[in-house]
Amino acid sequence: MLTDEQKKQIEIQDKLISDNIHKIKHRIVVFSGKGGVGKTTVSVNIAYGLQAKGNKTGILDADITGPNVPKMLGLSGDLLMENKRVMPKEINGVKVISIANIIPPDQPVIWRGPLRSKLLFQFLGDVEWGYLDYLVADLPPGTGDEIITMTQKMEPDLAIIVTTPQEISLVDSRRAVNMAKKMNIPKIGIIENMSGLMCPECGYRIDLFGSGGGKKQAEEMNVLYLGMLPIDTEARKMADEGKPIILENKNADISIAISNVVDIIKNMLI
Ligand SMILES: Nc1ncnc2c1ncn2[C@@H]1O[C@H](COP(=O)(O)OP(=O)(O)OP(=O)(O)O)[C@@H](O)[C@H]1O
Ligand SMILES: [Mg+2]
């Protein structure tokens, strides 16, 4: 049972979050059933793709135990406070918040669900996002607490489900799609990542994990198909160096594919 004081605190926090997020035009959550399928890669590159097309954009790293966004952006340093509000970091014109800019590197976050959710409430309510066109939230794998917290409090208008083409990932992504449906997210789209590898020597396409499963799944589950991104060794290398491929090499096949996804998202969320 909650005390009256606790209920009042929750009300205050909900109001803070609601006022803050409604200054953001479009809110997007990126998740998947399976880990390691490219959620952070997709989140970061889509955010920069949106920004490159003239939109004020932010990234919320909602993966509290595996916060990879700052690493993929080469973003370090502590967060600053102004007028009792947390200021997001900014890199190449995109605002970013992550627990990785709060805790020392290499320190594990051994927090149970409620504590992780509490930090996400602060990311939504206490961070001074200002007016944004898009906020992209990179979620942890699975269908756990963070996904529920973010969809309830952030009120996203789009869920992007990332999958790789092989059955083991597609099976998990079906759970993710069903979760997005259950949480009443108005628009749901699937991206197939790591779809085919072009041999840089001979140009032959190797379907390492298969191809086409994401599109088929989107059709079967009656959700939007946003496109496929190829495996790109330069993108992986750039990510390790903290540089999103879409900023580093606009002409790479993967950057062109991301740019197409961004156009679909923009047209969808008018
Ligand atoms: N299309 C791609 N081509 C090449 N490498 C990729 C591609 N997509 C992702 N990667 C690489 O695969 C690894 C996993 O990607 P990423 O961290 O984005 O996955 P994730 O789904 O966020 O993982 P986690 O579930 O741990 O949060 C990274 O090293 C990333 O650079
Ligand atoms: Mg990730």
Side-chain angles (χ1 to χ4, degrees):
M1 269 293 268
L2 294 175
T3 63
D4 285 349
E5 182 53 32
Q6 283 169 325
K7 281 184 199 155
K8 204 171 134 212
Q9 287 305 322
I10 291 171
E11 259 173 46
I12 292 171
Q13 185 178 54
D14 281 350
K15 166 101 174 57
L16 208 60
I17 292 176
S18 177
D19 289 350
N20 215 26
I21 61 153
H22 287 111
K23 283 188 245 158
I24 301 166
K25 237 196 238 165
H26 298 295
R27 299 169 298 272
I28 301 172
V29 285
V30 179
F31 62 108
S32 68
K34 197 177 179 311
V37 294
K39 292 174 294 299
T40 306
T41 306
V42 164
S43 302
V44 160
N45 282 285
I46 281 181
Y48 278 97
L50 286 164
Q51 196 254 354
K53 291 178 200 268
N55 300 289
K56 283 199 170 74
T57 307
I59 307 172
L60 189 159
D61 187 353
D63 194 341
I64 308 298
T65 55
N68 292 147
V69 170
K71 167 75 184 151
M72 279 200 195
L73 298 179
L75 181 65
S76 57
D78 296 338
L79 297 174
L80 296 175
M81 302 279 291
E82 261 177 41
N83 301 325
K84 297 191 180 155
R85 303 280 290 158
V86 181
M87 301 310 290
K89 313 269 312 168
E90 195 165 326
I91 184 157
N92 293 316
V94 169
K95 292 179 177 176
V96 181
I97 201 86
S98 173
I99 192 177
N101 296 106
I102 302 174
I103 53 157
D106 304 331
Q107 182 179 305
V109 180
I110 314 168
W111 292 357
R112 292 191 192 276
L115 212 50
R116 298 202 298 272
S117 293
K118 213 169 155 193
L119 184 68
L120 293 178
F121 295 153
Q122 289 188 296
F123 281 179
L124 291 170
D126 298 343
V127 170
E128 191 56 42
W129 291 107
Y131 290 91
L132 290 180
D133 295 304
Y134 296 92
L135 179 64
V136 180
D138 174 30
L139 271 54
T143 49
D145 278 15
E146 285 89 336
I147 324 289
I148 299 170
T149 302
M150 292 304 284
T151 43
Q152 282 176 342
K153 301 285 177 181
M154 188 182 170
E155 300 174 37
D157 34 13
L158 169 66
I160 298 177
I161 314 295
V162 183
T163 183
T164 47
Q166 78 270 36
E167 189 53 29
I168 193 109
S169 170
L170 289 166
V171 166
D172 289 350
S173 77
R174 279 199 276 277
R175 288 186 236 280
V177 169
N178 280 329
M179 173 140 190
K181 284 183 178 172
K182 226 173 225 161
M183 304 296 293
N184 292 320
I185 301 178
K187 295 203 163 77
I188 303 169
I190 292 182
I191 290 186
E192 178 176 308
N193 186 32
M194 304 193 197
S195 179
L197 166 73
M198 291 301 226
C199 170
E201 298 295 323
C202 67
Y204 182 77
R205 181 186 158 113
I206 307 162
D207 282 333
L208 209 58
F209 301 119
S211 176
K215 186 166 192 278
K216 195 164 159 264
Q217 178 128 305
E219 284 163 4
E220 281 169 7
M221 299 197 79
N222 202 19
V223 295
L224 299 149
Y225 173 64
L226 299 174
M228 55 169 74
L229 310 181
I231 298 172
D232 186 306
T233 49
E234 191 193 3
R236 198 272 310 144
K237 191 164 169 283
M238 289 290 135
D240 283 346
E241 289 174 14
K243 299 168 187 164
I245 186 74
I246 199 156
L247 289 183
E248 292 301 308
N249 183 356
K250 287 185 182 56
N251 298 320
D253 286 349
I254 188 167
S255 301
I256 294 166
I258 291 162
S259 182
N260 290 338
V261 173
V262 167
D263 287 337
I264 296 175
I265 293 172
K266 279 189 59 170
N267 290 331
M268 187 198 294
L269 296 182
I270 286 169

